[in-house]
Amino acid sequence: MEIVLALAIGVLGGAGVWLLLRPRTFQVLMGLSLLSYAVNLFIFATGSLSIGEEPIVRQGLTANLENYTDPMPQALVLTAIVIGFATTALFLVVLLASRGLSGTDHVDGRENDEQEGGAR
């Protein structure tokens, strides 16, 4: 299970960075979203992955990572998901306003370098 989670975090992080480097603002927004998902999964994984274990230590058991799942990363990830949705909605509104004002969705404001006269 740890291998699958590590691969998922790596793929999400790699795709997020690749999309962040793209010239269109919507792709940058999607890259930020994928990176936030990767970070959320990483924080969630730090709370020790265990299936069927109690989130709080039961009486008679020692408080180590084998006997319970730490609830603090879960609370942090839940808060980060809520803040991430709000931030994505704000970026989407700014993206649409920028597209409406400038007429392009390129991050540098230029539609295409080849149409403007060639290479630099």
Side-chain angles (χ1 to χ4, degrees):
M1 180 161 171
E2 288 87 6
I3 297 294
V4 173
L5 186 64
L7 285 174
I9 291 170
V11 167
L12 284 173
V17 169
W18 184 76
L19 284 173
L20 274 177
L21 298 175
R22 304 300 300 167
R24 305 250 180 214
T25 53
F26 184 73
Q27 293 168 336
V28 171
L29 180 66
M30 294 306 295
L32 284 173
S33 296
L34 288 181
L35 267 180
S36 70
Y37 294 148
V39 170
N40 287 341
L41 279 176
F42 178 74
I43 292 172
F44 186 70
T46 59
S48 78
L49 297 174
S50 58
I51 297 173
E53 295 292 330
E54 300 287 332
I56 300 173
V57 178
R58 288 179 285 176
Q59 286 187 343
L61 294 177
T62 59
N64 57 17
L65 291 178
E66 294 177 3
N67 295 329
Y68 82 111
T69 300
D70 190 9
M72 181 61 81
Q74 295 174 11
L76 289 173
V77 167
L78 181 61
T79 304
I81 288 171
V82 171
I83 292 171
F85 279 140
T87 305
T88 302
L90 176 68
F91 283 155
L92 192 59
V93 169
V94 170
L95 181 148
L96 291 174
S98 173
R99 168 113 174 128
L101 291 174
S102 68
T104 181
D105 63 344
H106 268 238
V107 292
D108 59 357
R110 293 187 219 160
E111 186 62 34
N112 196 352
D113 284 337
E114 289 86 25
Q115 292 177 351
E116 295 178 355
R120 295 178 188 174

